[in-house]
C-alpha cells in the first residue's frame, strides 16, 4: 500500500482496501451471466431467428459463469462454509443475504430448469445410445423419464418459453441487485446513485452479448466450421444497441455528477484525473467503450467483407470485455481510493500470489471456461450437432430444442 | 394420470426440487440452534456461554498493587494512561498465582502496533517507520517502555535523531 504524501487525510479504516480484485470479479462474472441469458431470450421470446445458433451456447455459458459467480466472494471472505448460514438464518435487512436467494432462484429455477427442458430430447436419446459412465450420467439426467413424444416435446417447448419469460426479469433482478448493493451505499459518493442498478444491468447485457459473440465465433472456428454471418451480424447489432444505451446512461450519470457538483465532486474529480486516469478514462472510456462503439458503428454503416466484419466484431468484443471489466474495477476499487474526509487518497496494488491476488483472480476467470468445456461435451449446443438433429424430420426441427 | 402423460417428466423435476426443499428444511431444523432469534438475530444461549467464560484480565489496579515501582515510573511518562494488560496481555492467572510468570512482549513487534508510521494517524502522535528507525532492534534497546524516552545508552540507531526531530516538528 502506498500513499499520496501531499494528501493524507485518510481515516484508519481506509488505509487498506477491504474489497479487492476478487470483488471486482464478482460483478463482472454475474454480469456475463445476466447478459448471456438476455441474449438467449432474444431468440426464445422475441423470436430473433438469426441468433438461434447461439441460443444453447448462451444458456450453457450463463450456467458456467453462474456456478463460478459466488466463488470470488467466498475466497474474499474466507470461511466458505459460513455462506450456507446465510440461507439457514437469513437477515432480511441484509442485501447480500437476500441476494443469496436471488442467486439460488436464478441458478435452479431459471438456468438449470430451462437447460434441462431444452436439452431433454438430446439427453434421452444420449441415454439410449451411450455406454458406461456417460450412460449413467445421462440416465440420471433424464430423471427416469424417457418420454420424447411430440406432445411431451411440445410441452417442454411451452414450459421453456414460460421459464424464459420469468427468466428475463430474473436476469434483470440478478444484476440489478449487484448494482443496488453498490448504489445503496449512501456513505460513498462514488457509488451512491439510483442509476447504478440500471447502469449495471445494461453493462451486463453488453458484456454478456460480447462474451457469447466471441465464444460463438471462437468455438465455430475451432470446430473448423463456417461462422453464420447473419448470426454474427445480428449479435453485433444488438451489442451495438445495448452499448449505446449503456454508454448514454453512464454519460448521464457523469453529466449529472458534474452539473450537481456536490461536496464530493472535487475529490472524485481529482481521483479521476490522477489514480483513475488510466483505468477510467483510457481503458474504460476510450479503449473499452468508444473504440468498440466506433468499430460496431462502422460495421453497421459500411459495407465490409464478411471476414473484415468478423475481425472487427472480435476486436470490438474483446475491447468491450476489457472495458466492462475496467468499469467494474473503477466502481469497486475507485470507490475505495478516496477518503470519506474527501481530502485523502490511497492507491491499490494487486498482489500476485496471495489469497486475493492476481493469480487466484485469473484462475477464477478461467474456471467458467473449464466448466463450459465439460458442459458442451456433455450437452453439445452446436446447431445440428445433437442426436435429435441427426434423426431428421420432426426431430431435425427440434435440434435447437424447439418445435 | 393420462392427463399428465406429456408433462409427467416435469412432475419428476418438481419432485426433485421439493425433495431439495424438504432436505433444506430438515437441515435447517438440525443446524439452527433452538435459542436462535429469542432476543434478536443471534443465538440467545451465547449470552450465558460468554458470561460463563473465565475472566482473563486482572485489571490495572491489581497489577499496581504489587508493581508499585513500575507504576511510579509509568505515571510520570506518556504511557500513564495505557493499561498494563494493553501491552502485557491478559494476566488474571499471573495475578492469582504470581509464580506463573508472564512472557515479556517483543517490543520490536509490540510498539509498532501503535507507533508504526501511518498516514491515517494524527500528525502529533509519535510514529516512525520501524524498518528505517530501528532496523529490527527491539525498541526497548533504546527506549523505556514504561516511560517512553531514550535510555542512557550508546546503542542508538543512526536515524533516531531524525525520527525524533520529525516527531517534535509534527508536535509544533
Amino acid at each position: 500500500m502506498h500513499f499520496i504524501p501531499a494528501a493524507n487525510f485518510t481515516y484508519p479504516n481506509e488505509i487498506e482496501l477491504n474489497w479487492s480484485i476478487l470483488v471486482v470479479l464478482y460483478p463482472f462474472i454475474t454480469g456475463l451471466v445476466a447478459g448471456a441469458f438476455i441474449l438467449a431470450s432474444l431468440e426464445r421470446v422475441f423470436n430473433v431467428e438469426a441468433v438461434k445458433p447461439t441460443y444453447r451456447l448462451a444458456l450453457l455459458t450463463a450456467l458456467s459463469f453462474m456456478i463460478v459467480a459466488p466463488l470470488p466472494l467466498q475466497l474474499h471472505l474466507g470461511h466458505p462454509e459460513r455462506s450456507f448460514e446465510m440461507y439457514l438464518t437469513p437477515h432480511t435487512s441484509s442485501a447480500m443475504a437476500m441476494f443469496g436467494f436471488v442467486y439460488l432462484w436464478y441458478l435452479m429455477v431459471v438456468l438449470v430448469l430451462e437447460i434441462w427442458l431444452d436439452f431433454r430430447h438430446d439427453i434421452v436419446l444420449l441415454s439410449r445410445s451411450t455406454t458406461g459412465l456417460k450412460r449413467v450420467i445421462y440416465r440420471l439426467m433424464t430423471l427416469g423419464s424417457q418420454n420424447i413424444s411430440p406432445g411431451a416435446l411440445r410441452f417442454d417447448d411451452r414450459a421453456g418459453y414460460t421459464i424464459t419469460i420469468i427468466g428475463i426479469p430474473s436476469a434483470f433482478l440478478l444484476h440489478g441487485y449487484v448494482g443496488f448493493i453498490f448504489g445503496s451505499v449512501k456513505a460513498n459518493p462514488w457509488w451512491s446513485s439510483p442509476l447504478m442498478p440500471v447502469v449495471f444491468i445494461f453493462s451486463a447485457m453488453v458484456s454478456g452479448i460480447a462474451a457469447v459473440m466471441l465464444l460463438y465465433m471462437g468455438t465455430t472456428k475451432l470446430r473448423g466450421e463456417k461462422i453464420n454471418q447473419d448470426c454474427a451480424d445480428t449479435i453485433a447489432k444488438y451489442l451495438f444497441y445495448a452499448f449505446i444505451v449503456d454508454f448514454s446512461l453512464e454519460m448521464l450519470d457523469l453529466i449529472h455528477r458534474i452539473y450537481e457538483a456536490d461536496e464530493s465532486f472535487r475529490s472524485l474529480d481529482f481521483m479521476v484525473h490522477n489514480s483513475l486516469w488510466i483505468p477510467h478514462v483510457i481503458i474504460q472510456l476510450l479503449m473499452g467503450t468508444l473504440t468498440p462503439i466506433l468499430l460496431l458503428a462502422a460495421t453497421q454503416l459500411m459495407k465490409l467483407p464478411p471476414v473484415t466484419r468478423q475481425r472487427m466484431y472480435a476486436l470490438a468484443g474483446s475491447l468491450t470485455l476489457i472495458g466492462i471489466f475496467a468499469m467494474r474495477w473503477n466502481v469497486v476499487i475507485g470507490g475505495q481510493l478516496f477518503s470519506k474526509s474527501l481530502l485523502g487518497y490511497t492507491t491499490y496494488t494487486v498482489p500476485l500470489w496471495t489469497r486475493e491476488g492476481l493469480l487466484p483472480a485469473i484462475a477464477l476467470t478461467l474456471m467458467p471456461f473449464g466448466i463450459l468445456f465439460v458442459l458442451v461435451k456433455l450437452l453439445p449446443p452446436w446447431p445440428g450437432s445433437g442426436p435429435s438433429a441427426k434423426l431428421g424430420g420432426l426431430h431435425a426441427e427440434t435440434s435447437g430444442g424447439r418445435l | 394420470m393420462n392427463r399428465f402423460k406429456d408433462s409427467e417428466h416435469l412432475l419428476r423435476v418438481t419432485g426433485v426440487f421439493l425433495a431439495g426443499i424438504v432436505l433444506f428444511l430438515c437441515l435447517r431444523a438440525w443446524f439452527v440452534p433452538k435459542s436462535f432469534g429469542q432476543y434478536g438475530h443471534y443465538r440467545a444461549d451465547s449470552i450465558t456461554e460468554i458470561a460463563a467464560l473465565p475472566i482473563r484480565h486482572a485489571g490495572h489496579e491489581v497489577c499496581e498493587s504489587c508493581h508499585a515501582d513500575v507504576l511510579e515510573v509509568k505515571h510520570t511518562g506518556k504511557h500513564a494512561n495505557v493499561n498494563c494488560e494493553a501491552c502485557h496481555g491478559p494476566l488474571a492467572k499471573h495475578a492469582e498465582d504470581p509464580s506463573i510468570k508472564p512472557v515479556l512482549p517483543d517490543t520490536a513487534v509490540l510498539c509498532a502496533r501503535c507507533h508504526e508510521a501511518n498516514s491515517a494517524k494524527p500528525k502529533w502522535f509519535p510514529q516512525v517507520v520501524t524498518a528505517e528507525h530501528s532496523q529490527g532492534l527491539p525498541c526497548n534497546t533504546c527506549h523505556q517502555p514504561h516511560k517512553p524516552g531514550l535510555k542512557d545508552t550508546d546503542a542508538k540507531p543512526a536515524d533516531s535523531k531524525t525520527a525524533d526531530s520529525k516527531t517534535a516538528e509534527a508536535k509544533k
Side-chain angles (χ1 to χ4, degrees):
Chain A
M1 198 73 53
H2 307 284
F3 306 101
I4 299 166
N8 55 4
F9 289 90
T10 45
Y11 296 122
N13 61 340
E14 296 164 340
I15 287 302
E16 284 201 32
L17 268 71
N18 291 312
W19 288 6
S20 65
I21 189 170
L22 295 183
V23 183
V24 177
L25 210 55
Y26 158 69
F28 180 66
I29 292 178
T30 324
L32 293 175
V33 177
F37 183 83
I38 288 165
L39 179 65
S41 68
L42 272 179
E43 192 272 322
R44 193 70 193 254
V45 179
F46 303 107
N47 294 319
V48 183
E49 280 294 311
V51 297
K52 197 173 177 177
T54 63
Y55 172 71
R56 286 180 154 195
L57 180 67
L59 283 182
L60 295 183
T61 305
L63 180 61
S64 309
F65 280 91
M66 190 66 173
I67 292 167
V68 176
L71 298 185
L73 292 187
Q74 305 271 25
L75 200 58
H76 164 69
L77 293 169
H79 287 287
E81 78 285 358
R82 288 185 189 167
S83 61
F84 185 56
E85 290 175 18
M86 193 170 76
Y87 290 105
L88 293 178
T89 52
H91 204 304
T92 47
S93 68
S94 160
M96 279 309 292
M98 290 302 105
F99 183 76
F101 289 93
V102 174
Y103 172 83
L104 201 63
W105 164 268
Y106 193 80
L107 176 69
M108 298 310 294
V109 179
V110 177
L111 282 179
V112 170
L113 198 55
E114 180 161 345
I115 289 171
W116 185 71
L117 286 168
D118 202 79
F119 281 91
R120 208 179 64 81
H121 190 186
D122 284 347
I123 292 169
V124 170
L125 292 174
L126 285 163
S127 75
R128 293 172 186 169
S129 61
T130 50
T131 52
L133 183 65
K134 270 188 141 183
R135 186 184 178 88
V136 176
I137 294 169
Y138 287 123
R139 285 190 83 91
L140 280 173
M141 285 167 79
T142 62
L143 298 179
S145 170
Q146 293 281 326
N147 187 356
I148 47 170
S149 66
L153 294 178
R154 258 192 298 275
F155 178 82
D156 286 352
D157 189 42
R158 281 200 305 275
Y161 178 83
T162 311
I163 290 167
T164 314
I165 296 274
I166 299 167
I168 295 169
S170 301
F172 275 70
L173 185 65
L174 177 80
H175 209 63
Y177 218 129
V178 179
F180 172 84
I181 286 168
F182 290 101
S184 59
V185 182
K186 59 188 167 196
N188 191 320
W190 186 245
W191 293 339
S192 180
S193 162
L195 267 179
M196 197 64 105
V198 190
V199 170
F200 263 66
I201 287 167
F202 277 92
S203 58
M205 286 167 68
V206 168
S207 64
I209 295 171
V212 175
M213 183 179 77
L214 288 175
L215 273 170
Y216 167 68
M217 295 201 300
T219 50
T220 310
K221 282 267 177 202
L222 279 176
R223 290 184 303 117
E225 294 197 5
K226 198 168 174 286
I227 292 169
N228 182 327
Q229 190 59 37
D230 190 26
C231 175
D233 285 342
T234 312
I235 300 176
K237 189 173 72 181
Y238 283 107
L239 176 61
F240 179 59
Y241 295 160
F243 224 149
I244 292 289
V245 179
D246 178 45
F247 182 59
S248 308
L249 284 168
E250 285 195 37
M251 287 303 103
L252 182 65
D253 186 44
L254 183 69
I255 292 163
H256 180 255
R257 282 170 190 275
I258 294 169
Y259 189 73
E260 192 182 44
D262 69 4
E263 69 276 11
S264 67
F265 181 71
R266 285 183 66 183
S267 180
L268 302 182
D269 187 53
F270 178 84
M271 186 173 72
V272 170
H273 284 89
N274 288 275
S275 51
L276 282 191
W277 180 255
I278 291 177
H280 191 79
V281 179
I282 306 293
I283 300 178
Q284 184 189 330
L285 290 177
L286 295 178
M287 200 176 108
T289 306
L290 287 174
T291 312
I293 285 179
L294 289 174
L295 282 169
L296 292 167
T299 59
Q300 300 297 312
L301 297 169
M302 294 155 68
K303 285 201 169 185
L304 299 165
V307 178
T308 313
R309 297 172 86 81
Q310 285 168 16
R311 283 177 187 163
M312 285 170 82
Y313 295 155
L315 180 62
S318 308
L319 289 175
T320 301
L321 288 180
I322 293 169
I324 299 293
F325 183 82
M327 183 260 184
R328 312 297 192 224
W329 173 278
N330 294 321
V331 168
V332 177
I333 303 297
Q336 302 171 87
L337 289 182
F338 66 97
S339 169
K340 303 298 176 296
S341 69
L342 303 177
L343 292 167
Y345 303 90
T346 61
T347 57
Y348 171 64
T349 310
V350 188
L352 192 65
W353 289 102
T354 58
R355 196 184 78 195
E356 298 199 46
L358 186 64
L359 290 175
I362 292 171
L364 283 171
T365 312
L366 295 175
M367 202 182 281
F369 296 100
I371 296 171
L372 185 63
F373 180 77
V374 175
L375 283 177
V376 297
K377 289 280 169 202
L378 207 58
L379 305 168
W382 325 117
S385 65
S388 59
K390 289 166 189 161
L391 288 175
L394 172 70
H395 298 99
E397 283 181 66
T398 65
S399 61
R402 208 60 27 75
L403 270 174
Chain B
M1 195 62 203
N2 215 19
R3 249 179 84 195
F4 298 109
K5 187 170 63 97
D6 290 333
S7 58
E8 176 254 350
H9 55 281
L10 200 70
L11 294 177
R12 285 174 189 258
V13 82
T14 310
V16 171
F17 276 33
L18 285 175
I21 292 169
V22 170
L23 179 69
F24 169 76
L25 291 174
C26 291
L27 285 173
R28 191 170 187 276
W30 176 265
F31 279 118
V32 177
K34 293 283 172 282
S35 69
F36 187 89
Q38 193 178 330
Y39 303 130
H41 200 78
Y42 61 94
R43 195 169 53 89
D45 286 351
S46 64
I47 297 174
T48 45
E49 284 170 21
I50 292 165
L53 288 174
I55 292 170
R56 298 179 68 218
H57 289 84
H60 68 100
E61 294 91 346
V62 179
C63 306
E64 287 158 11
S65 65
C66 294
H67 299 283
D69 52 330
V70 179
L71 176 68
E72 212 170 282
V73 177
K74 198 167 154 270
H75 264 186
T76 57
K78 294 243 173 171
H79 282 173
N81 293 323
V82 178
N83 277 337
C84 312
E85 287 163 302
C87 299
H88 289 280
L91 291 169
K93 280 186 181 168
H94 169 66
E96 275 173 24
D97 178 5
S99 66
I100 300 171
K101 297 289 178 197
V103 180
L104 282 174
D106 176 4
T107 55
V109 178
L110 178 79
C111 303
R113 278 189 205 160
C114 294
H115 295 287
E116 186 69 56
N118 185 318
S119 63
K121 287 174 187 166
K123 291 266 189 295
W124 54 263
F125 188 79
Q127 48 194 307
V128 291
V129 178
T130 48
E132 296 167 8
H133 178 75
S134 56
Q135 292 136 20
L137 279 175
C139 303
N140 62 353
T141 312
C142 303
H143 298 275
Q144 298 180 45
H146 293 125
K147 185 186 178 185
L150 290 174
K151 281 180 181 175
D152 185 19
T153 173
D154 294 332
K156 193 173 176 182
D159 73 329
S160 63
K161 194 178 171 186
T162 323
D164 292 341
S165 59
K166 273 182 190 169
T167 310
E169 273 172 33
K171 278 181 201 170
K172 289 173 195 169

